[in-house]
Amino acid sequence: MLKRVVVTGMAGLSPIGNDWQQVAAQLKIQSNGIQFMPEWENYIGLNTRLGAPVDFIKPAHYSRKKIRSMGRIALMATYATELALIDAGLLNDPCLNNGQTGIAYGSCAGSFEALAEFGNMLLNHTVNGLNATSYIRMMAHTTPVNIGLFFGINGRIYTTSSACTSSSQGIGYAYEAIKHGYQKLMVAGGAEELSAAEAAVFDTLFATSIRNDTPEKSPRPFDRDRDGLVIGEGAGTLILEEREHALARGAHIHAELIGFGTNSDGLHVTQPDQHSMETVISLALQDAQLDASAIGYISAHGTATVHGDVAESHATAAVFGANTPISSLKSFTGHTLGACGALEAWVAINMMNEGWFHATANLENIDPACAPLDYIKDKIRLLNCKYVMSNNFAFGGINTSLIFKRGND
């Protein structure tokens, strides 16, 4: 028999705050976390100077021995997970160490500081600077492995390294692991650390914002005058749990995850495809056994690139029409890449439970090339809705859609 899956713990580290109270306050006043990055001026030919860093330092109670295999990305992932486990009432619980708990966590890559150590070897033909932890800090599965080591979690591990869908795929695969009875609990989410190298990926595609003198004015998802995305960083963790297990221990349920869809378009490595976006949204609705009309709010991928915004808006309109409220968190956090799906799910769930939803920051003039949707702009929207959807679309044509049901229903 298929199991029901609920969210019993949540936490996030983001460019606009590291707890829900901070984040909510910034969303309500439409204050984003974009900054001018003066150190990026050292890179010849890099056009953008905009980034969205997280105010994060290593927690004082993390010993050197415990974190020696962690770069910044794994540190953020581990701390976000600690906060989520505390929220779930599961920190130091025996269920973490008896095989009942697994991990599904992702990022685009590991720590870029460690990548640079190997780059130095290849360029300068010396292993000076390499050490026993260089690979562990660099590897794509540095976040789930280090989370598992830190908390002694010994169930299954899924590593989801799929660019912008890394954490939403992690959440989806964690949901499937519980739904089909393979695990009782899953730590799910993703992380990313800010690096000029990641900004350069999009800069070479002429997809980054270069409003370097007015960082607060960018990015501008769905806006006629947008000029590209901004790279951010962060970490987001959801604790997913079999509903009966959660009820038996008296856990607080934030939401129920009832729908997940993922697919790939098989067409182009960087260009988004409207049809496959429509398909993945429909897959999530089918999994949730809901009509499109049941969704009360859509958390958009909303990167502020022309091709992405236009394709996403028309895919959304094809399924929902013009009446479902939609907004983009990336207008506040920048594109946090491997962390974005988890952070966006965390924010959407909290807003659903509180009955309000943020606007898209900097959305002043809707691009006429985008589909006519109910874009939330200028100020928060008060909404009483039972279901929210969170969508992400990644390089390689990888798409995800998640549907959450309000926890008290």
Side-chain angles (χ1 to χ4, degrees):
M1 185 174 71
L2 296 178
K3 312 295 184 180
R4 293 173 66 180
V5 182
V6 295
V7 180
T8 55
M10 305 189 295
L13 308 177
S14 84
I16 55 172
N18 297 337
D19 60 51
W20 173 239
Q21 290 71 30
Q22 290 178 315
V23 170
Q26 296 300 101
L27 293 173
K28 287 177 178 179
I29 63 172
Q30 294 204 78
S31 176
N32 71 19
I34 312 305
Q35 298 181 21
F36 178 80
M37 306 293 290
E39 61 270 33
W40 289 5
E41 295 196 321
N42 296 325
Y43 298 103
I44 298 169
L46 183 67
N47 298 303
T48 188
R49 300 287 186 273
L50 300 181
V54 171
D55 182 11
F56 172 78
I57 57 173
K58 177 182 74 69
H61 62 286
Y62 282 22
S63 69
R64 181 178 179 184
K65 181 179 180 181
K66 292 277 280 185
I67 66 168
R68 62 187 177 185
S69 61
M70 296 186 193
R72 179 176 173 85
I73 186 173
L75 273 170
M76 289 193 293
T78 300
Y79 187 52
T81 297
E82 181 177 8
L83 294 176
L85 288 169
I86 291 170
D87 184 47
L90 289 170
L91 189 64
N92 301 318
D93 192 287
C95 69
L96 299 181
N97 318 122
N98 63 5
Q100 292 185 333
T101 303
I103 305 169
Y105 218 89
S107 61
C108 289
S111 174
F112 277 84
E113 182 179 273
L115 280 167
E117 292 168 11
F118 284 98
N120 177 65
M121 185 196 86
L122 294 173
L123 290 172
N124 298 310
H125 303 93
T126 175
V127 295
N128 289 341
L130 292 179
N131 61 50
T133 70
S134 294
Y135 174 69
I136 308 303
R137 290 179 287 119
M138 178 194 76
M139 64 189 188
H141 56 309
T142 189
T143 54
V145 165
N146 276 297
I147 288 169
L149 290 171
F150 194 90
F151 299 106
I153 297 171
N154 52 11
R156 60 178 55 198
I157 282 184
Y158 297 108
T159 300
T160 50
S161 184
S162 57
C164 322
T165 55
S166 295
S167 56
S168 48
Q169 275 199 325
I171 293 167
Y173 294 156
Y175 156 76
E176 291 180 336
I178 297 171
K179 182 178 181 178
H180 293 283
Y182 304 130
Q183 302 277 196
K184 295 287 188 185
L185 298 108
M186 291 290 293
V187 173
E192 208 72 59
E193 67 178 58
L194 185 60
S195 168
E198 289 185 322
V201 170
F202 297 91
D203 209 59
T204 59
L205 297 170
F206 304 101
T208 53
S209 174
I210 55 173
R211 292 176 182 266
N212 297 322
D213 296 329
T214 54
E216 73 282 358
K217 297 294 185 182
S218 201
R220 311 174 69 87
F222 307 113
D223 191 85
R224 178 194 66 194
D225 302 314
R226 66 189 170 308
D227 74 328
L229 56 76
V230 176
I231 296 299
E233 66 175 352
T237 300
L238 303 186
I239 306 302
L240 302 187
E241 189 168 352
E242 181 189 312
R243 183 173 180 269
E244 293 305 313
H245 186 276
L247 292 173
R249 66 181 188 87
H252 172 71
I253 294 175
H254 294 288
E256 183 174 357
L257 178 48
I258 62 169
F260 170 57
T262 187
N263 69 354
S264 60
D265 61 39
L267 293 173
H268 197 281
V269 71
T270 59
Q271 294 299 322
D273 176 64
Q274 176 187 331
H275 176 71
S276 61
M277 291 176 175
E278 291 175 33
T279 299
V280 81
I281 292 169
S282 297
L283 286 171
L285 289 167
Q286 179 181 337
D287 186 43
Q289 299 181 35
L290 290 178
D291 292 328
S293 60
I295 303 299
Y297 167 78
I298 300 166
S299 175
H301 189 55
T303 60
T305 60
V306 174
H307 292 301
D309 286 358
V310 171
E312 178 178 5
S313 68
H314 283 277
T316 304
V319 178
F320 292 97
N323 298 320
T324 305
I326 185 171
S327 61
S328 168
L329 183 66
K330 292 181 183 69
S331 62
F332 292 91
T333 63
H335 196 336
T336 57
L337 300 172
C340 72
L343 289 175
E344 289 159 16
W346 173 54
V347 168
I349 291 168
N350 274 311
M351 293 190 300
M352 172 174 61
N353 289 335
E354 295 183 4
W356 64 272
F357 293 87
H358 67 76
T360 296
N362 295 315
L363 181 53
E364 297 174 352
N365 300 291
I366 296 167
D367 184 351
C370 289
L373 300 173
D374 184 8
Y375 300 97
I376 305 176
K377 60 194 294 286
D378 301 325
K379 61 182 180 180
I380 66 169
R381 178 89 59 89
L382 301 180
L383 292 170
N384 178 20
C385 63
K386 188 175 180 179
Y387 303 101
V388 296
M389 173 178 280
S390 184
N391 296 328
N392 294 109
F393 311 108
F395 273 5
I398 303 170
N399 309 303
T400 57
S401 182
L402 297 165
I403 299 175
F404 297 94
K405 179 184 177 183
R406 194 164 52 196
N408 58 1
D409 287 301

